[in-house]
Amino acid sequence: MSDSRKVLAGVKRADRRVRVDRPHAKYFRYQAPGVLSAKLAAEEPTTPLGQALARIRRALFGRPLSNEEELVERLPKWKALPVFSSDVMSSVAYATEASLFTLLGVGAAAFGWLLPISFAIVGVLALVTLSYRQTIRAYPNGGGSYIVAHANLGVMPGLVAAAALLTDYVLTVAVSVSAGVQALYSAFPVVTPIAVPVIVFSILVVMAVNLRGIRESGTIFAAPTYIFLGSALLMLGLGVLRTLLGQAPQVTGVIPAHVPAETFGLLILMRAFADGCSAMTGTEAVANGVPAFKPPEWQNARTTMLIMSILLGTMFLGTSFLAHVSGALPASSGESVLSQIGRSVYGPGPLWYLLQLSTMGILILAAQTSFADFPRVASILARDGYMPRQFAFRGERLAFNAGIVVLASVSIVLVVAFQGRVEALIPLYAIGVFTAFTLSQAGMVRHWFTERGAGWRRSAFFNGLGATVTAIVVVIFAIAKFALGAWIVFVIVPILIALMLFVHHEYAEEARGLEVRAQAVIPPPRRPRRVVIAAPAFTRAVVQAIRVGLTMAPDVEVVHVTADLDEGEQFSERVRQQVPGTVVVTVESRYRSLVNPFVRYLETSQEGHPDEVVIVLIPDYMPNHWWDRILYNQNSHRIREALVGRRDIVVLDVPYRRERP
Amino acid sequence: MSDSRKVLAGVKRADRRVRVDRPHAKYFRYQAPGVLSAKLAAEEPTTPLGQALARIRRALFGRPLSNEEELVERLPKWKALPVFSSDVMSSVAYATEASLFTLLGVGAAAFGWLLPISFAIVGVLALVTLSYRQTIRAYPNGGGSYIVAHANLGVMPGLVAAAALLTDYVLTVAVSVSAGVQALYSAFPVVTPIAVPVIVFSILVVMAVNLRGIRESGTIFAAPTYIFLGSALLMLGLGVLRTLLGQAPQVTGVIPAHVPAETFGLLILMRAFADGCSAMTGTEAVANGVPAFKPPEWQNARTTMLIMSILLGTMFLGTSFLAHVSGALPASSGESVLSQIGRSVYGPGPLWYLLQLSTMGILILAAQTSFADFPRVASILARDGYMPRQFAFRGERLAFNAGIVVLASVSIVLVVAFQGRVEALIPLYAIGVFTAFTLSQAGMVRHWFTERGAGWRRSAFFNGLGATVTAIVVVIFAIAKFALGAWIVFVIVPILIALMLFVHHEYAEEARGLEVRAQAVIPPPRRPRRVVIAAPAFTRAVVQAIRVGLTMAPDVEVVHVTADLDEGEQFSERVRQQVPGTVVVTVESRYRSLVNPFVRYLETSQEGHPDEVVIVLIPDYMPNHWWDRILYNQNSHRIREALVGRRDIVVLDVPYRRERP
């Protein structure tokens, strides 16, 4: 057959195939010759069990979404705000308190430092916001610190940022959900003994909602976020107003928490500052999440970022101010500072309960920001080959399921290990985020110097300033928090980086091993073939392998390794009589091992035939149940292991299972 | 080609193959056309790591033994005695003590019952011995209770006997090695705190020796057995002699162990009797082990059994007698009764130490009987399909490795769980053995009634008497020991039987599924073939699969499921250009799942072609390291799972690995 006739025949054949399923509009849409598009029906499982599971999955997570629906799943600004900034806003509920907790060690006199520290923190926040607004414009397809540092500074800075950020998101989930449940038992002490199960359950709920896809998360989580915003802003407004009118709210009946006494000094101030800075984690989620916004993506993201920062600054300063005037402080009862302020402003009535409940809501939702960004960062890393590919796949609901599930699992492990004690986790916190900030902004400086677009000097100046300030924060963190537990981050991040480099190396090896040279035309098989069946017994599985072999060569060689020559004689009799076209070779193995003698036989009989390709067919009985596997031999697996990748040998597994009705 | 010419060509081909390796006398010996015999060299691993491991294995366990060497591995009587009867003889070290321990609860006055109880036990022993001697003659290829009960009474009685026996052997290992180490710390109290690790280590040593093969076990274990025999018989002789001379040995300085007070009654006597009966476990090992004796097997086995019983009876009665006259009793110090008698006879000198050490040796070696018989029973069960096949394989040294390793592992778990406390294990003990005795002898009665050979009435009478007596012992056990822990046997045995029946069912299913009808001649493949490649990307693995496909059909269909049509377009361009003879079908899966759309496509395109066989080739990238597996997709596995066993579909896995140098 000439080449052109062959091609023609090929097209005809393709056409025939494709025409076949025109009547079956049930499963496929015909697009072009050789191109079909699967309908939703083609995805559905066909077994009753599979269908039942699919129904359950859809009830929990919704119907599958097609790729085209991705645009519909984008977030409008009012939904993006709860999804991406709940982390930042929720920190109002614990950042001030964390600073006070540290200051309490040197006595209530040190509380005077709270306001200056708060102003410093808000200053850093303003700089970071400014920087990220520039990044978002420069990287309209997503400008998280991994992308920016990787693109401008190189692989290692990129991975440091990524590892720091991933670590941080895990901690955020653990800390914020724990804090949320703490808010709950401020109001309902009955919850205290079952705190850990409640925390774990809450993480699972947030996970489940995120598996429904990002847009639905926005819808579901919008209400609690806006209720918290409303009740917190109302409280702050009323409190400030009363203070201005000379009737400052006063917290009563609080016994200060017992805190080990410390000496006042710079280190304490640095620690209090670092505690407060934990408010800023989650700021970068918007930059990573630009592609999740409705178009024009980058403009909407910038606006959302600005709103978020203004809200955070206002609420953080307001809380610190009211804590200062009302005398709220970390209580031995575990009642949070925010709850104390709320009680002093609202009195212990329904508004106070609403504040408590919505605080709990927003704290649990703070985890939402991590759930929105961790899977996205992981998917970018997986796309670049630094994490297992599974992280890059979108599930039925277009969510990055692997990332969501891994994030939930690891943070649950943390919560259980630390028994939900928030303060124990906070020292581990935020240092990663500020490392990522620094690297990202340093990368932006490099970016501006390379691009030199309009106004690049101004942009470079602000990013440079941001990088410098956040670097200082990192140093402060390292000094203030190292011994308290932040050293763990210095252990985890290098381990994560090593793992990521290892994964990258393995994928690169695989790609090299599997790459087909471009342009190389692969010739049809021309070398003489010898077909060998590894036959442990005369079974249907072996018969199937022999029949497959006979489609490749006019006769096949059935090699039977046995410890018992009589049995071997019977075997070869049966094969010769019952399967024409076979040559049986019996290899007696008096030492009872089966794999090595088979391999040696192949090698030996290959010698002197350098032109020949040996095709080894390995029949493989497939049991119906996984637990049946221990009942069967691993010999087929071991023969494959020994032969695959050898010169002039092609291995084919021929799995066999009884025909299903 | 006519059939006869085909066959001729086949023979020629076989001849060519086989001739090829005549020069390679290194690996194979030519036996007949198409029959080779692998030499030891063909077993040896070829990789440096494999060779190093083999060297270590051979240093520990010896060189591999061929099947022909099995006869050389047979046991002469003097080696069979330690291998098969160490269990029985060692029970002298604890059976009397166990009875005394029970009697102690009602006070020292009850010790007078020790001698009558001992006579009763020796009476049972005599009956059992008589019975088994008859069984051995009737079943010269091995007449363990499983075989006899299974053959004469049916499946369930056989499995009950087997499960009871296996349970018992595990307990024997745990009890006897624990008792051995107790003997050690009677002499050297310094060992007490590390008793459990010493027990575990001892079990591992016995396991290792058994992995060297049964003959070497006999050689290695003969010396300690005969030393124990010697020193115990000497002690008994001297002690009895001194008693006859009116200078009965007197035990001094022993504080009785604290035992909860009990009321004297029939139950106590029954318990003391049951405790002593534990001496009889291991009696049946000789019957199972007949094939391990040198020819004439059954005669040698019978003689060995007789010697064993006489030795046991003598030593058991002697020990009970001397315990009675010397006043030895379970001591609060943990010093064993045998040690006390030895001290009173020998004085605390070197002969006493030798007795202690050899007691320790024989107790640890008692485990040897279990190690000799458990793997043998397991191998018989595996041969009959009631246990996983691995138990039927002989290892390099002709030992049943799987059984040996499983026995050691389970008994180690028991020792650790019970922290080596022998008394806690003894109640669980021996009931299984007596159940097996009863079933075996009942089976023999049935046997004689069926056979009706010369003297069958006499034989049936003795077996019937044995069955009756041992059945009574079982009832006594059940009453006396049930609440003390023997109930666990009533839980474990049914579970074991259920597992064995389940395994049998699964193997039967497999056999049915794989059976090739006898005489059926399998026709060559005639139906039109369509070859489909499941191609996730354009890689060398896919190219290899395509080339394999082209050996089966003139053109192949490459099916590519993708979530991204642009990528699909590029893929199909490359395949069309680079691999002639292919037809590419792209299936767009907008819901991103890959397996179901592929399966639906196959089904759809199969319709209307009932004559066609579809051969699906699944390229499968094989990573070099097991830990790489999580980095790769499970899709090829899932496609195989979905397709194997379907009508008119043959699945072939095409594993690919980069060619090794």
Side-chain angles (χ1 to χ4, degrees), chain A residues 16 24 34 36-38 43 395 506-507 514 517 520 522 540 578 586 588 592-593 596 607 628 631 645 660, chain B residues 24 34 36-38 43 395 506-507 514 520 522 540 578 586 588 592-593 596 607 609 628 631 645 660:
Chain A
R16 175 171 72 89
H24 298 273
L36 299 174
S37 189
E43 319 268 317
E506 295 300 298
Y507 279 136
L514 286 177
R517 249 178 307 135
I522 285 113
R540 288 195 197 188
Q578 295 190 246
T586 309
E588 185 196 12
R592 299 164 303 283
S593 82
N596 279 341
E607 277 171 36
D628 281 344
L631 298 181
R660 284 180 287 203
Chain B
H24 297 275
L36 299 174
S37 187
E43 318 268 317
E506 296 295 301
Y507 279 135
L514 285 178
I522 285 115
R540 288 194 198 190
Q578 297 190 242
T586 309
E588 186 196 11
R592 298 166 303 286
S593 80
N596 278 343
E607 278 172 33
H609 298 269
D628 280 347
L631 298 179
R660 284 181 285 199

Side-chain angles (χ1 to χ4, degrees), chain A residues 202-288:
Chain A
S202 306
I203 293 176
L204 290 176
V205 168
V206 177
M207 179 190 90
V209 171
N210 274 277
L211 289 175
R212 294 187 69 100
I214 197 159
R215 186 155 166 274
E216 293 227 358
S217 318
T219 313
I220 293 169
F221 291 148
T225 309
Y226 286 112
I227 292 174
F228 171 75
L229 262 181
S231 67
L233 286 175
L234 179 65
M235 174 193 82
L236 296 177
L238 285 178
V240 172
L241 194 67
R242 279 175 53 184
T243 311
L244 293 177
L245 298 174
Q247 296 173 321
Q250 290 303 318
V251 172
T252 51
V254 170
I255 303 156
H258 183 74
V259 171
E262 308 249 14
T263 323
F264 181 76
L266 188 60
L267 189 65
I268 290 295
L269 291 183
M270 281 161 73
R271 272 173 48 196
F273 172 76
D275 288 330
C277 276
S278 58
M280 246 172 291
T281 62
T283 316
E284 106 146 40
V286 174
N288 263 319

Side-chain angles (χ1 to χ4, degrees), chain A residues 563 589-593, chain B residues 43 57 61-75 209-217 291-292 371-372 375-376 379 390-404:
Chain A
S589 169
R590 290 172 306 137
Y591 296 87
R592 299 164 303 283
S593 82
Chain B
E43 318 268 317
R57 206 166 56 238
F61 304 121
R63 67 172 179 84
L65 296 173
S66 76
N67 288 344
E68 287 84 4
E69 292 172 278
E70 203 269 326
L71 203 63
V72 186
E73 286 295 300
R74 297 294 187 84
L75 294 167
V209 171
N210 274 278
L211 290 174
R212 295 186 69 100
I214 197 159
R215 188 154 166 275
E216 294 228 357
S217 318
F371 275 98
R376 200 169 282 275
S379 77
Q390 288 87 327
F391 286 97
F393 295 143
R394 286 174 185 262
E396 279 192 342
R397 297 289 295 180
L398 292 166
F400 296 107
N401 292 353
I404 293 173

Side-chain angles (χ1 to χ4, degrees), chain A residues 541-605:
Chain A
V542 169
V543 167
Q544 164 154 307
I546 293 174
R547 299 194 73 194
V548 168
L550 287 172
T551 67
M552 295 189 278
D555 55 17
V556 300
E557 195 176 328
V558 178
V559 178
H560 178 60
V561 182
T562 180
D564 176 356
L565 266 187
D566 292 341
E567 183 276 329
E569 187 50 42
Q570 284 170 26
F571 171 88
S572 81
E573 263 319 295
R574 280 200 77 181
V575 175
R576 281 202 195 96
Q577 282 171 10
Q578 295 190 246
V579 198
T582 53
V583 171
V584 184
V585 175
T586 309
V587 177
E588 185 196 12
S589 169
R590 290 172 306 137
Y591 296 87
R592 299 164 303 283
S593 82
L594 302 177
V595 177
N596 279 341
F598 180 75
V599 174
R600 286 301 93 70
Y601 170 71
L602 273 189
E603 285 171 359
T604 305
S605 56

Side-chain angles (χ1 to χ4, degrees), chain B residues 623-642:
Chain B
N624 281 311
H625 311 288
W626 61 263
W627 26 258
D628 280 347
R629 283 187 203 154
I630 57 157
L631 298 179
Y632 305 107
N633 282 318
Q634 299 298 310
N635 282 331
S636 58
H637 174 77
R638 286 168 55 212
I639 290 178
R640 182 175 56 224
E641 263 301 324

